[in-house]
Amino acid sequence: MSQGLGGWDAGGVFFAEPIDQGADDRLETRADGERMFKKFIKQFRYEDEFVYRDQLRRNYMLRRFYFEVDLEHVAAFRPELAEVLINSPSDYLPLFETAATEVVDELTRPRPHAEAVRAIQVMLKDTRSVTPIRHLDSSKIGKLVRVPGIVIQAAATKAKATNLYLECRGCQHNMRLALKPGFGGALLPRSCQRPQGEGNPDGAAAGQGAASCPFDPYMIVPDLSVAIDQQVLKLQEAPEEIPTGELPRHLKVSADRFLTERVIPGTRVSMIGIYDITQAGQSRKERKESVAIRNPYLRVVGITTETGVGGRTQATFTEEEESEFLREARSPDVIKTIARSIAPAIWGSDDIKMAVACLLFGGSRKQLPDGMRLRGDVNVLLLGDPGTAKSQFL
């Protein structure tokens, strides 16, 4: 009988290795990172609410294919997970977005008309330490930084290719070429990449197509390529951060997908993004001469506007202050009072102060009887010798 049972009834002691409960908590490979991001989205709770799981489902149902994540929550859930996001965002942020896409695929099944799940964009926010523009250096390249400032320029949104579909003009061989995000470009193959073992569509022997194809054979097929929205912004450091006697510094910013068209010039913002570099120079000669020089820029992954509408400060006044404003408004010399309040440390220049006051308050839009419209904007041009306080007035 014991032989029939393979020795299990022989009275021996048998044991099994216990399952390592901490095996799923390791963060050693990229697969571990993706698994931990999925665990964070599904399990993180704040005041008995699954914050990011509910936010992800809600946004997807509203056709908003993104969700915002607080880095402090990631650090509270798993400190090393936040650390790899800060130190290696280019590697781990795509894993975070892949994990979010897989989670929302599970949460929204079944979808109408069996549509494919849309890719999710992860937006980060952080309220911890900031790095002013003039403190950004080479040690911050490739890291996640939070930079405050004022948006002074916002270009029109353009299409940025992320995956190019290439087709050879000679043998119609096709291939796909992935592009890096941000301002990174791509180099098209200079020769046909058709494998030697493939038959030529025109009946030539295998391996003969690459030799018969022209130099620089590939052309881009736009209809089969994949593109996203991209907007170029210009960020200037805040006035209170500029040292006395120095000019403000600027930083070029790349915003893509759902981060485009979020701010306008004049908005005070705090941007969190990847401090990256791009090729310096535009012409071929400039690129050749500056092969080791790179221009820094910020690949933004989160934008937070400061108080007020659109980041513009919205002041509140008491009833006494409002009454005083109304009393001053009825005064016949109100324009002189306002002008004298501008740069009081500068003596004279009453006409310049009057012009700056008009610039601050602006005018009213007018429509003439013949239909012509006049803008209410007031523009001021100050010309003068050096040392005449032009910059102080503005």
Side-chain angles (χ1 to χ4, degrees):
M1 181 62 116
S2 61
Q3 292 180 354
L5 293 176
W8 287 95
D9 58 344
V13 178
F14 301 92
F15 68 95
E17 288 284 345
I19 298 175
D20 185 6
Q21 299 295 332
D24 290 340
D25 291 336
R26 293 178 300 183
L27 188 58
E28 300 175 355
T29 63
R30 294 168 60 90
D32 295 336
E34 184 175 338
R35 184 181 65 252
M36 289 302 301
F37 284 130
K38 292 177 67 175
K39 188 175 180 181
F40 166 76
I41 297 172
K42 292 180 178 179
Q43 299 182 6
F44 182 81
R45 299 174 67 178
Y46 183 76
E47 296 181 352
D48 297 330
E49 180 184 357
F50 291 97
V51 181
Y52 298 110
R53 191 179 67 182
D54 296 343
Q55 180 192 160
L56 193 58
R57 183 194 296 113
R58 181 172 57 252
N59 284 5
Y60 196 90
M61 293 302 180
L62 295 174
R63 313 301 290 177
R64 301 172 183 169
F65 306 114
Y66 64 88
F67 77 123
E68 297 181 351
V69 178
D70 194 332
L71 275 178
E72 291 187 359
H73 291 170
V74 180
F77 180 80
R78 191 71 186 273
E80 53 268 37
L81 201 61
E83 184 178 350
V84 296
L85 264 179
I86 294 173
N87 294 326
S88 303
S90 298
D91 296 330
Y92 284 89
L93 194 58
L95 298 180
F96 203 172
E97 295 186 343
T98 301
T101 303
E102 293 178 359
V103 171
V104 80
D105 187 19
E106 300 172 5
L107 295 176
T108 57
R109 290 180 182 173
R111 288 178 293 277
H113 310 294
E115 66 175 4
V117 64
R118 299 286 296 271
I120 299 298
Q121 180 181 9
V122 175
M123 299 181 185
L124 300 179
K125 59 181 180 179
D126 190 12
T127 56
R128 292 176 290 184
S129 61
V130 298
T131 305
I133 292 178
R134 61 181 59 239
H135 291 171
L136 295 172
D137 53 26
S138 59
S139 64
K140 303 292 194 302
I141 293 177
K143 305 291 180 61
L144 205 64
V145 295
R146 178 168 168 246
V147 184
I150 302 176
V151 178
I152 61 172
Q153 184 178 343
T157 301
K158 298 181 180 180
K160 157 76 174 180
T162 58
N163 194 286
L164 292 176
Y165 185 91
L166 308 179
E167 185 175 286
C168 178
R169 294 192 297 268
C171 64
Q172 282 73 50
H173 170 260
N174 57 74
M175 60 178 292
R176 287 195 171 273
L177 183 64
L179 279 72
K180 294 182 179 181
F183 294 143
L187 295 176
L188 302 185
R190 306 303 299 272
S191 60
C192 184
Q193 301 296 305
R194 184 171 64 86
Q196 296 291 326
E198 285 189 10
N200 211 341
D202 58 4
Q208 297 295 320
S212 61
C213 294
F215 193 60
D216 289 335
Y218 285 102
M219 61 180 180
I220 300 174
V221 183
D223 294 343
L224 300 179
S225 300
V226 181
I228 59 174
D229 292 334
Q230 184 185 57
Q231 185 181 26
V232 179
L233 307 173
K234 198 172 184 180
L235 187 69
Q236 177 180 288
E237 57 184 342
E240 60 271 13
E241 297 175 357
I242 305 173
T244 304
E246 294 194 19
L247 295 175
R249 296 188 181 181
H250 311 88
L251 180 65
K252 207 171 184 180
V253 177
S254 170
D256 58 26
R257 293 176 287 180
F258 292 96
L259 285 170
T260 60
E261 304 295 342
R262 286 208 164 200
V263 292
I264 60 175
T267 308
R268 295 180 70 102
V269 297
S270 177
M271 293 187 175
I272 180 170
I274 304 171
Y275 189 57
D276 212 338
I277 53 177
T278 186
Q279 178 72 47
Q282 299 296 327
S283 64
R284 182 176 299 180
K285 181 180 179 181
E286 289 177 342
R287 291 195 298 267
K288 184 177 180 181
E289 294 176 350
S290 59
V291 64
I293 301 177
R294 296 292 185 270
N295 288 331
Y297 73 98
L298 187 69
R299 182 154 59 89
V300 66
V301 296
I303 300 177
T304 303
T305 59
E306 294 189 5
T307 57
V309 180
R312 300 173 186 268
T313 304
Q314 194 172 24
T316 56
F317 304 101
T318 63
E319 293 183 1
E320 292 79 8
E321 291 173 333
E322 291 181 359
S323 300
E324 186 177 355
F325 292 155
L326 292 174
R327 185 171 59 254
E328 289 290 341
R330 288 190 289 267
S331 173
D333 296 331
V334 60
I335 182 65
K336 295 181 179 180
T337 303
I338 294 174
R340 284 195 300 266
S341 302
I342 295 176
I346 301 175
W347 183 84
S349 303
D350 295 336
D351 53 345
I352 297 179
K353 294 181 180 181
M354 194 81 69
V356 173
C358 295
L359 171 67
L360 292 174
F361 283 85
S364 57
R365 180 178 297 181
K366 299 179 179 62
Q367 185 169 358
L368 303 181
D370 58 355
M372 180 182 295
R373 295 182 179 180
L374 301 179
R375 296 184 301 170
D377 302 330
V378 177
N379 299 313
V380 175
L381 174 64
L382 294 182
L383 298 177
D385 296 330
T388 54
K390 297 187 298 297
S391 300
Q392 281 74 9
F393 277 121
L394 297 180

